[in-house]
């Protein structure tokens, strides 16, 4: 059986890894549209040794998907190249928001729940207790902002949840579905009338899964998040070597321009070349896949097109030694109406010498077009980043090194209705018996762990259907 994987980002590479693992006899090829692998993961190493991460920089070790990534990391022999941020370090404990003209640390311990810490006007516990008296409302889906506002109050929606949504999907919490981050809590309210009642009833129903060897180590050593000493791109690069050394051909500059899919038939148009595998795993964004199937499958195309992506401007900067408050970085609540989503203190997360401070400013997201138009110049983006580093942190120095990148359509938005569209997409593929399996960040989670897990599920489902045909 021949399987083509569309896209050579982390999920496409991982799909090849898991296909090989499940069935060594498959004929697999990866078709990548650009001239490099890794997709949004790119660790640019400067001549002075500093790494500018353009996309992701940390991975969570926890949860089923987090542990799955750790297993993969271990299988690839990358254990010794990990660099963790431990729970006791400032970069793990101190996440800040910039609000009302100041940087504020968010409470990071149980005790912190009982103190009034600005920008909140009362102790966090008081907002949480509001859930007990808030009336419940039966809804199919709603925005995470509305849900938190209803159950906990507007302060929490504005100063905690809205910036958090910026720091995960660069999105607007008034559009993002509650199921994106709070599925369990929302289900408790819908089923039991309040979150606290749901928590009490399910106190002993905590799902446990057995941890991998590296998962046990991460837990024992209290890793908060981790990366790799040579940057996060180490992960896709190592998967690439792994799959290449096992004979998987990787075709770069092979952009698919059209797809024909019918039962037992796949035709992939790559410029003026046609490829016809028996099955296709698509790891590209739903937005891009929507364009490729529009002529033949307009209904599927509309469903896929509902899941749209936003653009983020990433400005990496290296200074001399700036005396910073230690922490992971800060997020800016959209209510503040600044053009900045957040700033990461890279050199605090992963130190790179006493005389160097590395920061990354992220801008745009759901507001990119409104703020910067279609095609802002590098200079405009750099000067905006510098202006707001001065406003928020008082940084007046000019950077010694910098890099401006515009990541077009890089993060999918799980807006209200997302889960329903994903169900419909799967139903359409099944009902029309299309030889197509989906993975990547558009459907079941936007983080590194999620996309690796989605690729594992995709590969296993392909292998299962092959076995069923035998
Ligand atoms: C700024 C930013 C910060 C992030 N930070 C974190 C973080 O700290 N932690 C975390 O867990 N996650 C983070 N993420 C998310 C993480 O980067 C993604 O989950 C992951 O990289 C997605 O990988 P992917 O392979 O699914 O998609 P992509 O990286 O988009 O890969 C898709 C590939 O398909 C190719 N392609 C597209 N169209 C075609 C076509 N028509 N034909 C052929 N090939 C095509 C593309 O060139 C690309 O190589 C961040 C993302 C961004 C953008
Ligand atoms: C300001 C923009 C963004 C920052 N990071 C991202 C964007 C769009 C993207 C992103 N960050 C994380 C993930 C993975 C989530 C997951 O499911 O694992 C993604 C896609 C990790 C993350 N970053 C922050 C939080 C709270 C999380 C999730 C949990 C965790 O890893 O601990 C905080 C944060 N992100 C950014 C900043 C400036 C920031 C702040 C303090 C940048």
């Amino acid at each position: 059986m021949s399987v083509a994987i569309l896209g050579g980002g982390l999920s496409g590479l991982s799909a090849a890894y898991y296909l090989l693992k499940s069935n060594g006899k498959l004929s697999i090829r990866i078709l990548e549209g650009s001239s490099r692998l890794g997709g949004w993961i790119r660790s640019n190493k400067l001549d002075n040794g500093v790494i500018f991460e353009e996309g992701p920089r940390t991975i969570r070790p926890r949860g089923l998907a987090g542990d799955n990534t750790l297993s993969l990391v271990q299988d690839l022999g990358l254990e010794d190249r990990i660099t963790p941020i431990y729970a006791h370090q400032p970069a793990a404990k101190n996440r800040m928001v910039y609000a009302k003209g100041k940087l504020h640390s968010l409470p990071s311990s149980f005790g912190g729940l009982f103190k009034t810490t600005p920008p909140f006007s009362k102790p966090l516990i008081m907002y949480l207790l509001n859930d007990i008296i808030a009336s419940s409302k039966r809804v199919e889906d709603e925005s995470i902002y509305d849900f938190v506002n209803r159950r906990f109050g507007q302060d929490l929606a504005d100063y905690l949840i809205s910036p958090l949504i910026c720091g995960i999907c660069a999105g607007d919490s008034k559009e993002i579905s509650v199921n994106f981050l709070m599925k369990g809590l929302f289900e408790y309210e819908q089923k039991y009338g309040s979150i606290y009642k749901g928590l009490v009833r399910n106190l002993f129903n905590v799902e446990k899964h057995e941890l991998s060897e590296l998962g046990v180590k991460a837990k024992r050593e209290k890793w908060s998040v981790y990366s790799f000493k040579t940057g996060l791109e180490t992960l896709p690069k190592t998967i690439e070597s792994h799959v290449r050394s096992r004979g998987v051909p990787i075709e770069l500059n092979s952009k698919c321009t059209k797809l024909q899919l019918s039962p037992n038939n796949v035709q992939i148009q790559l410029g003026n070349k046609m490829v016809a595998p028996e099955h296709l795993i698509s790891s590209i964004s739903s937005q891009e896949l929507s364009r490729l199937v529009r002529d033949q499958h307009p209904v599927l195309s509309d469903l896929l097109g509902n899941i749209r992506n936003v653009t983020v401007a990433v400005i990496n900067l290296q200074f001399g030694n700036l005396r910073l408050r230690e922490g992971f970085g800060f997020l800016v609540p959209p209510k503040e109406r600044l053009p900045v989503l957040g700033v990461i203190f890279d050199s605090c997360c992963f130190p790179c010498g006493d005389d160097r401070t590395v920061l990354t400013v992220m801008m745009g997201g759901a507001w990119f077009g409104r703020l910067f138009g279609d095609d802002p110049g590098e200079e405009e983006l750099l000067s905006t980043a510098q202006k707001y580093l001065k406003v928020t942190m008082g940084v007046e120095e000019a950077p010694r090194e910098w890099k401006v990148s515009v990541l077009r359509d890089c993060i999918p938005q799980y807006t209200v209705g997302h889960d329903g569209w994903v169900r419909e997409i799967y139903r359409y593929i099944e009902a029309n018996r299309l030889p197509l399996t989906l993975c990547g960040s558009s459907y079941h989670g936007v983080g590194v762990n999620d996309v690796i897990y989605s690729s594992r599920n995709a590969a296993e489902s392909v292998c299962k259907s092959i076995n069923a045909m035998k």
Side-chain angles (χ1 to χ4, degrees):
M1 169 107 173
S2 59
V3 182
I5 299 168
L6 200 54
L10 181 63
S11 55
L13 290 164
S14 305
Y17 170 89
Y18 287 115
L19 280 176
L20 282 172
K21 197 169 170 174
S22 302
N23 183 342
K25 291 190 190 127
L26 291 175
S27 153
I28 307 164
R29 70 203 291 186
I30 299 178
L31 306 169
E32 165 54 44
S34 74
S35 57
R36 68 176 281 280
L37 297 169
W40 297 119
I41 306 184
R42 194 192 280 257
S43 312
N44 296 299
K45 190 166 180 184
L46 309 189
D47 290 343
N48 64 13
V50 165
I51 294 173
F52 277 172
E53 291 285 6
E54 226 175 273
R57 62 210 62 225
T58 52
I59 308 178
R60 265 182 306 117
R62 284 178 300 278
L64 194 59
D67 192 59
N68 179 62
T69 305
L70 287 172
S71 278
L72 169 69
V73 164
Q74 193 172 1
D75 287 351
L76 293 169
L78 284 175
E79 192 175 337
D80 295 340
R81 292 169 69 181
I82 285 179
T83 166
I85 300 181
Y86 298 99
H88 69 269
Q89 290 179 287
K93 287 199 300 193
N94 193 16
R95 290 185 175 187
M96 294 170 268
V97 290
Y98 179 82
K100 302 174 183 169
K102 274 193 188 137
L103 281 178
H104 306 280
S105 297
L106 293 170
S108 64
S109 65
F110 185 68
L113 290 177
F114 298 90
K115 292 184 203 135
T116 301
T117 40
F120 304 102
S121 49
K122 50 188 182 188
L124 278 191
I125 189 76
M126 299 305 288
Y127 297 102
L128 301 181
L129 289 175
N130 192 62
D131 172 66
I132 298 173
I133 51 164
S135 56
S136 66
K137 180 176 154 191
R138 290 199 70 77
V139 277
E140 187 99 332
D141 192 359
E142 70 178 324
S143 77
I144 192 161
Y145 185 95
D146 286 345
F147 175 72
V148 172
N149 189 9
R150 258 187 329 100
R151 305 259 21 123
F152 304 119
Q154 196 178 347
D155 264 9
L156 228 62
D158 280 331
Y159 294 113
L160 189 64
I161 295 305
S162 296
L164 192 64
I165 291 294
C166 288
I168 297 181
C169 70
D172 183 347
S173 62
K174 293 182 177 167
E175 294 176 357
I176 300 296
S177 163
V178 60
N179 292 315
F180 177 60
L181 217 59
M182 296 188 158
K183 197 180 182 75
L185 302 188
F186 179 59
E187 282 170 359
Y188 282 164
E189 188 216 29
Q190 295 299 304
K191 199 164 168 193
Y192 303 109
S194 77
I195 296 169
Y196 113 91
K197 279 188 196 151
L199 287 172
V200 170
R201 299 235 190 152
N202 290 278
L203 210 55
F204 300 106
N205 286 354
V206 189
E207 259 181 54
K208 287 210 173 123
H209 55 95
E210 205 165 307
L211 289 180
S212 65
E213 210 179 297
L214 196 51
V216 171
K217 181 176 176 191
K219 191 173 177 192
R220 189 181 60 239
E221 294 181 357
K222 297 195 170 70
W223 300 1
S224 164
V225 289
Y226 64 96
S227 182
F228 299 94
K229 289 166 193 156
T230 37
L232 213 108
E233 201 176 333
T234 307
L235 184 55
K237 278 198 181 316
T238 311
I239 307 176
E240 175 194 345
S241 315
H242 177 97
V243 300
R244 272 192 201 276
S245 70
R246 282 156 183 80
V248 174
I250 300 180
E251 294 156 55
L252 297 175
N253 303 306
S254 299
K255 189 175 167 70
C256 170
T257 44
K258 198 168 177 178
L259 264 179
Q260 293 284 330
L261 295 160
S262 37
N264 306 318
N265 189 12
V266 183
Q267 290 189 26
I268 306 171
Q269 184 87 45
L270 305 168
N272 45 23
K273 192 171 123 187
M274 187 75 91
V275 174
E278 286 162 274
H279 196 92
L280 175 69
I281 295 185
S282 167
S283 80
I284 62 177
S285 71
S286 60
Q287 198 175 289
E288 174 72 355
L289 185 60
S290 161
R291 283 191 278 270
L292 300 180
V293 299
R294 170 142 298 279
D295 290 348
Q296 195 193 8
H297 296 284
V299 173
L300 178 61
S301 174
D302 282 349
L303 287 167
L304 290 163
N306 283 325
I307 309 165
R308 57 196 168 74
N309 287 22
V310 297
T311 298
V312 177
V314 176
I315 295 92
N316 301 105
L317 303 137
Q318 186 225 308
F319 300 87
N321 182 17
L322 303 176
R323 290 187 182 281
L324 291 184
R325 201 154 140 184
E326 288 195 73
F328 184 85
F330 65 88
L331 289 161
V332 183
K335 196 181 165 85
E336 297 295 314
R337 299 193 160 273
L338 300 194
V340 172
L341 295 166
V343 177
I344 296 173
F345 299 178
D346 297 278
S347 48
C348 184
C349 296
F350 305 109
C352 53
D354 288 345
D355 58 341
R356 286 176 187 150
T357 299
V358 181
L359 302 174
T360 303
V361 182
M362 295 197 186
M363 307 193 295
W367 302 269
F368 191 91
R370 236 174 293 159
L371 289 165
F372 302 113
D374 281 346
D375 195 15
E378 278 199 9
E379 269 166 37
E380 180 190 349
L381 295 170
L382 178 63
S383 66
T384 309
Q386 282 186 266
K387 175 175 171 191
Y388 286 95
L389 280 181
K390 187 172 168 193
V391 169
T392 53
M393 299 165 65
V395 175
E396 308 232 17
E397 287 84 341
R400 292 182 183 171
E401 307 280 349
W402 67 87
K403 185 166 193 304
V404 177
S405 319
V406 175
L407 312 188
R408 290 249 162 239
D409 297 331
C410 62
I411 297 205
Q413 304 292 288
Y414 289 23
T415 52
V416 176
H418 179 89
D419 286 0
W421 297 323
V422 173
R423 273 196 301 274
E424 288 291 307
I425 290 167
Y426 280 97
R427 220 172 278 153
Y428 185 97
I429 294 172
E430 204 186 325
N432 291 277
R433 295 188 294 117
L434 303 186
L436 169 68
T437 307
L438 305 173
C439 63
S441 61
S442 295
Y443 313 100
H444 298 291
V446 300
V448 162
N449 291 328
D450 304 310
V451 306
I452 293 175
Y453 202 57
S454 79
S455 302
R456 177 179 165 172
N457 287 332
E460 288 178 356
S461 106
V462 170
C463 292
K464 211 166 128 192
S465 55
I466 294 172
N467 287 338
M469 282 190 294
K470 278 184 193 161

